[in-house]
Amino acid sequence: MSGYRPEGLRADAGPAETETTREPVGPRLGARGWLRWTWRQLTSMRVALMLLLLLAAVALPGAFFPQRSVDPNAVIQYYRDSPQTAEVLDSLHLFDVYSSPWFSAVYLLLFASLIGCIIPRTLAHARSLRAEPTRVPRRFSRFEVRSELRTSLRPEEAEQALMAALGRRYARRTGTEERATASGSQVDVRTVSAERGRGRETGNLLFHLALVGLLVVTAWGQLVHYRGQIVVVEDSTFVNAPLDYDSFDTGAWFDADSVEPFRLRLEEFSSVFTDDAQPRDFTASVTLMTPDGAQREQDIRLNHPLETDSTRVYLSGNGYAPQVSVTDADGEVAFEGPTMFLPSGDLNYTSNGVIMVPDANGGRQQYGFSGVLLPTVVETEGGVPIDSAYPEALDPVLVLNLFTGDLGLDDGVPQNLFTLDTTNMEPVLEEGSGGEEVPVRLVLRPGETLELPDGLGTITFEDLPRFAALDVRYDPSIISMGVFAGLAFVSLTASLFLPRRRIWARIAPGPAGTTVVTAAALARGDDPGLRRELDRVLSPLGQETKENP
């Protein structure tokens, strides 16, 4: 017996591994299987909703950081204020959120998810629309809403009354089936199947199709659009051409032929403020001129743009543009015209600005004026202007400092025209009250002229016109976006409020020449009006009804 070894045992080990002792191993998915699984996850409704929420989340940085396409000057100022932070933000595309790779990736994934989710559901719904209502279930006892009644109508008359009560809102189907009676004989039973509310699923699909349409037309609008910003002073004109704008942004598919030719002249700018300096109304009165010689006068207000055939002109800002003339030491006019002063942000329109004179004294010298405009001046007892008391120009004062040197306009480096670069300039000094030299301070009211120190010439504050900042936009997708948004609203309403109901009825001969009608109703989701609807359908049959027999 010592040489006996049962099958499955090795001489130097325990039981041999058999098929029954191995752990079950599932089939490998492979690359094709993983792709199919990924596509199914991407096209599920829960992933589509997650991507929609994610798109809203990744769009949020665009509300917190200035965007180059909207306000390039704010991005430049951000670089000046925090250069290191701006470099990091720019590397993350936070100044170009809506054209960043990560925003585009979420956008495209959402688009693919909605398409992959909608197409199969649309095909299935199209088949269901052509299908007849479902057959009558064998037992009504499993339905919570059911009724049974006896009527003196004959079975065919009861069927006709039910069909009339259901009306055209229901898709209807009739039939017959054999049923055994208590005595064991067979009788023919008439059946009625009805269904309504298929428009609920239609509304749901149309809502998602409208979302896809919104995504498509929004992307198309961003590809073909253009947007320009221009600042126009009263009695000045600008031409709707890329070279005439202060900043001009276009989409990747921009076509120069889409720029509508017209000219716009700012006739007058007016504003209304309350006694406590709160703005009430801003109005830019303009004249629109087209190449055919036609002219149209219109007022542009906030949220009330000027509309042409394909372009909208919005009012985005306003301020004062002091009209100044400067003569140099040779008595020649070295500068003349309005200069825009930007409001500093307070309610009283205290505004900062720069006047550059690059060709004084035959081009041998350059002047730079930096200062502040006070629309309604507040002065100390000594007559020194310190603040503005009201945004309207009731008593305007222009306070300037004078610099001479190199303005840096010939270096080829872009400059902010509202900030004076004094790196290569020296302030012009004058003798102060204590005998020391202090930077010269020029204080002017409209119509006044002052001599510049050191025989540099004169400066005259001639007038104080207003300016309007206009935002010109061309986006042909706006009408389509409105259509798809309206379709989304209507279809969402249908998907939320259209009831999905099914009603079945059996009509069988009863004792003593009566007809027995049993009926049941079913709704998708909670429907408090289902019992009332079943009673309405059965009401033409008359007689006493037993609910949930």
Side-chain angles (χ1 to χ4, degrees):
M1 296 295 292
S2 62
Y4 174 76
R5 183 170 71 247
E7 184 179 355
L9 290 181
R10 298 196 305 270
D12 57 323
E17 187 181 69
T18 65
E19 292 296 330
T20 57
T21 62
R22 294 176 183 169
E23 292 290 334
V25 179
R28 294 181 179 274
L29 285 177
R32 187 173 181 179
W34 279 110
L35 287 175
R36 185 182 293 111
W37 179 86
T38 303
W39 176 250
R40 287 177 178 174
Q41 298 302 312
L42 178 63
T43 56
S44 64
M45 185 56 67
R46 64 178 181 273
V47 172
L49 292 174
M50 290 172 58
L51 288 172
L52 188 61
L53 293 175
L54 183 60
L55 184 69
V58 298
L60 282 177
F64 296 105
F65 300 102
Q67 301 297 295
R68 282 195 177 90
S69 60
V70 178
D71 193 355
N73 290 328
V75 177
I76 295 174
Q77 190 62 43
Y78 203 106
Y79 263 94
R80 291 182 176 177
D81 296 339
S82 307
Q84 295 181 347
T85 304
E87 288 287 347
V88 175
L89 296 178
D90 207 1
S91 65
L92 297 175
H93 299 277
L94 293 180
F95 294 139
D96 302 281
V97 168
Y98 307 111
S99 59
S100 63
W102 39 272
F103 184 87
S104 301
V106 176
Y107 195 93
L108 293 175
L109 283 174
L110 176 60
F111 182 79
S113 178
L114 288 174
I115 290 293
C117 179
I118 291 172
I119 290 178
R121 288 182 58 184
T122 302
L123 296 177
H125 183 57
R127 289 192 295 268
S128 70
L129 288 176
R130 295 193 300 268
E132 292 184 335
T134 58
R135 293 180 180 274
V136 177
R138 293 185 62 84
R139 295 186 302 274
F140 286 166
S141 58
R142 59 192 178 95
F143 297 107
E144 294 184 1
V145 180
R146 59 186 186 274
S147 296
E148 180 180 315
L149 61 83
R150 291 186 181 184
T151 178
S152 59
L153 298 175
R154 290 180 298 173
E156 59 272 17
E157 293 175 341
E159 179 183 317
Q160 293 175 2
L162 281 176
M163 295 290 283
L166 289 168
R168 295 184 177 274
R169 291 182 298 173
Y170 282 87
R172 297 161 295 176
R173 173 182 181 178
T174 60
T176 59
E177 59 183 33
E178 288 187 350
R179 284 274 170 159
T181 64
S183 61
S185 61
Q186 299 288 329
V187 297
D188 288 335
V189 178
R190 295 175 180 267
T191 61
V192 176
S193 300
E195 183 177 349
R196 65 165 295 188
R198 293 179 180 178
R200 186 186 186 105
E201 179 65 11
T202 303
N204 191 17
L205 291 173
L206 285 177
F207 171 72
H208 289 88
L209 286 172
L211 289 183
V212 174
L214 279 174
L215 291 175
V216 172
V217 299
T218 300
W220 172 63
Q222 290 301 308
L223 288 172
V224 302
H225 89 291
Y226 73 79
R227 180 177 181 179
Q229 289 79 35
I230 183 70
V231 177
V232 186
V233 182
E234 287 177 329
D235 295 329
S236 298
T237 303
F238 90 92
V239 178
N240 187 33
L243 294 178
D244 215 24
Y245 284 100
D246 298 326
S247 63
F248 193 73
D249 176 67
T250 66
W253 294 353
F254 167 71
D255 184 3
D257 293 337
S258 64
V259 179
E260 183 181 0
F262 63 81
R263 290 186 299 158
L264 199 67
R265 178 180 176 85
L266 178 61
E267 304 292 349
E268 181 183 9
F269 186 89
S270 59
S271 55
V272 177
F273 297 90
T274 62
D275 293 339
D276 56 352
Q278 296 293 329
R280 294 291 300 273
D281 188 30
F282 298 103
T283 303
S285 300
V286 300
T287 300
L288 177 70
M289 294 165 279
T290 56
D292 58 2
Q295 294 188 5
R296 186 180 77 190
E297 295 181 356
Q298 184 173 331
D299 291 341
I300 305 176
R301 292 185 171 88
L302 295 178
N303 301 320
H304 292 83
L306 180 149
E307 297 186 13
T308 65
D309 293 339
S310 62
T311 310
R312 292 187 176 189
V313 182
Y314 296 85
L315 179 62
S316 60
N318 67 91
Y320 293 96
Q323 186 166 339
V324 175
S325 63
V326 179
T327 59
D328 56 21
D330 298 333
E332 301 292 334
V333 177
F335 175 85
E336 186 176 17
T339 302
M340 286 162 288
F341 276 53
L342 293 183
S344 60
D346 65 352
L347 293 177
N348 295 321
Y349 269 57
T350 301
S351 305
N352 301 312
V354 170
I355 302 172
M356 298 184 185
V357 185
D359 296 315
N361 302 317
R364 301 185 303 273
Q365 203 169 13
Q366 296 182 349
Y367 300 165
F369 298 86
S370 176
V372 62
L373 172 71
L374 306 174
T376 302
V377 67
V378 176
E379 298 177 326
T380 64
E381 294 182 357
V384 178
I386 57 173
D387 201 358
S388 177
Y390 196 69
E392 291 284 5
L394 303 180
D395 184 13
V397 166
L398 188 60
V399 183
L400 300 173
N401 296 113
L402 175 60
F403 296 81
T404 59
D406 184 8
L407 292 170
L409 300 178
D410 300 327
D411 298 338
V413 179
Q415 289 192 18
N416 187 345
L417 298 180
F418 301 101
T419 303
L420 185 64
D421 184 3
T422 60
T423 304
N424 299 316
M425 305 193 77
E426 296 291 337
V428 176
L429 305 177
E430 64 179 356
E431 185 175 345
S433 58
E436 73 282 3
E437 289 190 335
V438 296
V440 65
R441 196 167 190 242
L442 306 172
V443 179
L444 299 100
R445 283 182 165 84
E448 293 184 349
T449 300
L450 290 180
E451 296 283 341
L452 301 179
D454 303 331
L456 294 176
T458 63
I459 181 171
T460 302
F461 185 3
E462 296 181 351
D463 198 4
L464 187 59
R466 301 288 297 268
F467 74 80
L470 303 178
D471 191 358
V472 182
R473 304 180 189 179
Y474 166 75
D475 187 352
S477 66
I478 292 178
I479 296 178
S480 300
M481 289 174 65
V483 172
F484 281 113
L487 178 61
F489 178 78
V490 173
S491 56
L492 181 62
T493 302
S495 67
L496 291 176
F497 297 105
L498 281 180
R500 183 73 183 272
R501 293 167 176 167
R502 290 176 177 175
I503 294 178
W504 300 280
R506 281 193 178 91
I507 308 170
T514 61
T515 299
V516 178
V517 179
T518 56
L522 178 67
R524 177 172 292 182
D526 186 23
D527 188 350
L530 187 61
R531 162 57 63 184
R532 187 167 56 252
E533 178 68 4
L534 182 59
D535 292 342
R536 183 194 67 82
V537 172
L538 296 177
S539 61
L541 302 181
Q543 304 298 325
E544 184 178 353
T545 303
K546 292 193 298 182
E547 296 182 1
N548 299 341

